[in-house]
Amino acid sequence: MINFLRKTFKNGWDNFWRQGFLTFATSLVIFIAVILGTALFFFQGGVAYLSQQLEDKIDISVTFKANVERNTILEIKDSLLTLNQVKKVDYISSEDAYDAFVTVHEGDQYMEALSLLGTNPFLPSLRIQTKEASQYKEVSEYLAKDEYKELISEVNDYKRGVMIEKLTDLTRSVQVLGLFLTISLSLIAVIITFNTLRLSIYSQKEEIEIMRLVGAKNSFIRGPFLVQGGLCGFFASIISFMLLTIVLFALNGLMTTLFMGFDCLAFFKANIVDVIFLELLIGLGLGLLSSYFAVRKYLRD
């Protein structure tokens, strides 16, 4: 068995280096497939990051009437925090709301209008964030209870509902698009790699026929081509990983700005094992599968 494996690997290695152009063409196709697969992985990570950023900015603003005491509002805050759906609740007093407005609109026409009022028009409020975007409706229904009707002036969640719906649709559309692109690109890569390896195998057609005439087993004939395809995929994966690492370290600042704060390098470091596994899976998978199906024709004849 050891001798068989050694000969198989040696023949595959010799084929890999002997057929320079075809080896290069096969490796190039697999390299492109690995790069695209890795790009889709980062794309999904970026979408998840942006979705999380949007969700963190979405909340329900509950405004209370002017005569509601602070302790009563804090009790409602504590009751909201007991809900499984609620992640965070912030209390904003009328004074804090006034100070925030002044900070944002200092020097503009809104401050002139505010000064004419001569009083603080802002009401105390709670800002609520849920654990998932789909849970805002449940929190709104909770706040609609009869015991809160005389305390709450407004539950400002209508805009949040539209944003949540759009965010959910966008995330779903991107996931479907990513899945479609992954499947399409994989099929294209398999077809191209398959045909490229067919050329390599066809150039050795006579050698295959001679081996079959002398009684060589299918596994002995197929083995070197599987090794050849596997080597093409392995080197394509290695080169892809090295290029990705160089690009991320060299251009991370630019990419972070381009992708609206998504730190590609940090994502890469956090998922480096998954990236290596993914690239090897795509590279070796394409090389081995394409070689297997490409040589099968000659073994059936």
Side-chain angles (χ1 to χ4, degrees):
M1 175 60 78
I2 296 177
N3 189 47
F4 170 77
L5 293 176
R6 184 180 62 80
K7 288 183 177 180
T8 299
F9 185 83
K10 182 180 182 303
N11 291 335
W13 180 263
D14 291 339
N15 290 342
F16 177 80
W17 288 108
R18 184 173 56 189
Q19 299 178 353
F21 175 77
L22 290 175
T23 295
F24 172 78
T26 303
S27 300
L28 179 62
V29 172
I30 297 177
F31 168 79
I32 294 172
V34 172
I35 287 291
L36 291 175
T38 307
L40 285 173
F41 178 73
F42 274 80
F43 179 69
Q44 292 285 359
V47 169
Y49 168 81
L50 293 176
S51 297
Q52 186 61 50
Q53 292 297 306
L54 289 175
E55 287 185 7
D56 290 342
K57 290 177 172 59
I58 296 173
D59 55 35
I60 293 178
S61 179
V62 183
T63 305
F64 293 86
K65 295 179 181 179
N67 60 347
V68 180
E69 296 183 357
R70 180 176 183 271
N71 289 338
T72 302
I73 298 175
L74 292 178
E75 289 177 1
I76 296 175
K77 173 185 175 182
D78 292 338
S79 69
L80 286 167
L81 288 172
T82 62
L83 300 178
N84 293 329
Q85 299 90 336
V86 174
K87 177 173 68 174
K88 180 181 179 183
V89 182
D90 291 324
Y91 168 69
I92 301 173
S93 66
S94 57
E95 293 79 13
D96 291 337
Y98 180 90
D99 292 340
F101 184 88
V102 170
T103 301
V104 174
H105 298 285
E106 185 176 4
D108 62 22
Q109 58 183 356
Y110 295 104
M111 285 303 302
E112 296 178 8
L114 184 62
S115 62
L116 292 175
L117 292 176
T119 185
N120 183 1
F122 296 97
L123 297 172
S125 63
L126 293 176
R127 289 183 179 173
I128 308 165
Q129 286 187 354
T130 60
K131 296 176 182 177
E132 297 180 9
S134 60
Q135 296 172 332
Y136 282 102
K137 183 178 179 181
E138 300 172 43
V139 176
S140 295
E141 292 174 350
Y142 176 83
L143 293 169
K145 295 194 299 185
D146 291 338
E147 60 185 284
Y148 296 142
K149 286 185 178 180
E150 298 300 321
L151 304 175
I152 295 176
S153 172
E154 180 185 13
V155 178
N156 188 7
D157 63 345
Y158 65 95
K159 290 183 179 179
R160 278 73 173 177
V162 174
M163 292 176 64
I164 293 167
E165 184 178 350
K166 290 183 177 179
L167 175 62
T168 302
D169 291 341
L170 175 62
T171 302
R172 188 181 300 113
S173 298
V174 168
Q175 289 174 343
V176 172
L177 177 62
L179 179 61
F180 173 77
L181 287 175
T182 301
I183 294 174
S184 300
L185 292 172
S186 297
L187 288 175
I188 292 172
V190 167
I191 292 171
I192 295 175
T193 307
F194 170 80
N195 285 292
T196 306
L197 284 169
R198 283 281 301 271
L199 292 175
S200 174
I201 295 169
Y202 183 79
S203 67
Q204 302 177 66
K205 181 179 179 181
E206 293 183 359
E207 296 179 27
I208 294 175
E209 292 177 351
I210 292 172
M211 285 190 288
R212 293 192 65 186
L213 288 174
V214 298
K217 295 181 179 180
N218 287 347
S219 58
F220 183 82
I221 300 173
R222 182 187 293 117
F225 294 106
L226 292 177
V227 171
Q228 182 182 354
L231 287 172
C232 289
F234 177 76
F235 282 109
S237 301
I238 294 298
I239 295 172
S240 172
F241 181 79
M242 293 173 60
L243 180 62
L244 174 67
T245 303
I246 293 171
V247 169
L248 288 177
F249 275 94
L251 303 176
N252 185 58
L254 176 62
M255 289 190 294
T256 301
T257 303
L258 182 64
F259 298 133
M260 296 178 285
F262 176 57
D263 193 332
C264 295
L265 182 58
F267 180 80
F268 171 72
K269 291 179 179 179
N271 297 277
I272 188 169
V273 175
D274 292 335
V275 171
I276 294 173
F277 177 77
L278 175 66
E279 294 194 336
L280 287 175
L281 179 65
I282 296 174
L284 290 175
L286 286 176
L288 292 173
L289 285 175
S290 301
S291 298
Y292 177 82
F293 287 111
V295 76
R296 191 173 62 170
K297 172 183 180 297
Y298 297 98
L299 299 182
R300 286 202 308 254
D301 293 341

